[in-house]
Each structure stands twice: as C-alpha cells, then as structure tokens.
Amino acid sequence: MIFIILIVSAVAMAFLFVLSQKKWQETLSFVFAAFFLLSIGLIVANFNQHFGMEQVVHSQTVDLVSSVEQQDTEALLYKPLGNGTERVYLYKTAAMEKPQSTGGQQVKNDVSQDAEQAQLTTKRTEWVYKNNFYRLLFGFSGNNHEFIEQENQFNLPSNWQLLSTEN
C-alpha cells in the first residue's frame, strides 16, 4: 500500500508541476510532494527501525526423551562449535524419530540439571505488525514475523548426561 501511495504521489506531483497554471495546482503539487517524502520516510523507518512493529515472544515447553538409542542411558547430545564455548544441542521428543538441532546464530542455549523431568522451554522473539493498519501499509516487505532471537532452556534431571558427538 505504501508503494502505491509513493507512486501515485510521485506521478501526481510531476504531472502538476509540469502543467500547473494556477496557484491551486501548484499548491496541490506541493501536497503530493509531501506525501511522496512522507512515504519514503515511512518505508525507511519500517526497514531500519521496525516502525509499526512490536516484539512478540512465543514460548513453548516440550518433554524430552534421550537423544541416544541405548536403553539405560539418558543423555542430551551436543556438538561443540568453534573453540568449544558454543554448542549446538541435539534433542529428541517422543514424537520425533531423529534428534533435532537447536540452530546456531542468534540462538542461546542454557542447560540446568536440577529438574525432575527432562524438558525444553523455547522462547522465540520476533517482530510482528502492531495492527492491521500497519500490516496493510507495509505488508509488501515480508518482514512480518521476522526472527530476532531464540532462547532454549534445557531442564534435565541430575541422572541425565551431556554427551559430545565428537571424540
């Protein structure tokens, strides 16, 4: 919608500037110039400052089962990244056949081993439009539900092990 306003105001401004013979036509061309500049400013503000958007946090908790196939072993697998301070965890729920990874960039993983039941709590933060007006205005950009960050909190019982996938 904002692109339509931008194009219409630019065409109307140019047309009235070229063909203006009366004072009201010249004034109207300045009004369209203001709409044009305002549209550009709103587009830049939406892309750079997320104008018309707000941060929303979605939280989900799932029960975990052991990531390894051995019967008597309860474990959460991880793969160290870089110098070993960052880790990608491989977790599994009852509904999954294969373990799933937690991802890398903009994903924070914390593990605590003081829970009674193995659970994963995921908090995903994303940008969403504040209301339907902004969705209509800036819907072309495709930045609704834009990912910001994710936090994964693994709460494990003390009898669970953390095992590396590397030697």
Side-chain angles (χ1 to χ4, degrees), residues 5 49 65-66 78 91 120 138 155:
I5 295 170
Q49 307 297 322
V65 296
S66 180
Y78 70 89
Y91 67 93
L120 166 63
F138 299 113
N155 299 311

Side-chain angles (χ1 to χ4, degrees), residues 57-75:
V57 178
H58 302 283
S59 183
Q60 178 184 14
T61 301
V62 293
D63 292 332
L64 298 176
V65 296
S66 180
S67 298
V68 295
E69 297 295 326
Q70 297 173 354
Q71 278 187 341
D72 294 337
T73 304
E74 300 287 342

Side-chain angles (χ1 to χ4, degrees), residues 9-66:
S9 63
V11 170
M13 174 187 66
F15 183 73
L16 287 171
F17 265 136
V18 172
L19 300 177
S20 64
Q21 295 178 348
K22 298 186 173 145
K23 186 69 175 168
W24 69 269
Q25 291 173 329
E26 190 175 303
T27 304
L28 191 58
S29 68
F30 283 113
V31 169
F32 281 116
F35 276 120
F36 177 76
L37 293 174
L38 181 65
S39 298
I40 290 175
L42 289 174
I43 291 170
V44 169
N46 178 259
F47 277 113
N48 291 333
Q49 307 297 322
H50 299 283
F51 175 75
M53 303 184 89
E54 61 187 356
Q55 290 185 12
V56 174
V57 178
H58 302 283
S59 183
Q60 178 184 14
T61 301
V62 293
D63 292 332
L64 298 176
V65 296
S66 180

Side-chain angles (χ1 to χ4, degrees), residues 52-56 58 126-130 144-146:
M53 303 184 89
E54 61 187 356
Q55 290 185 12
V56 174
H58 302 283
E126 55 191 19
W127 288 106
V128 296
Y129 290 115
K130 289 180 181 178
N144 198 22
H145 298 283
E146 182 180 336

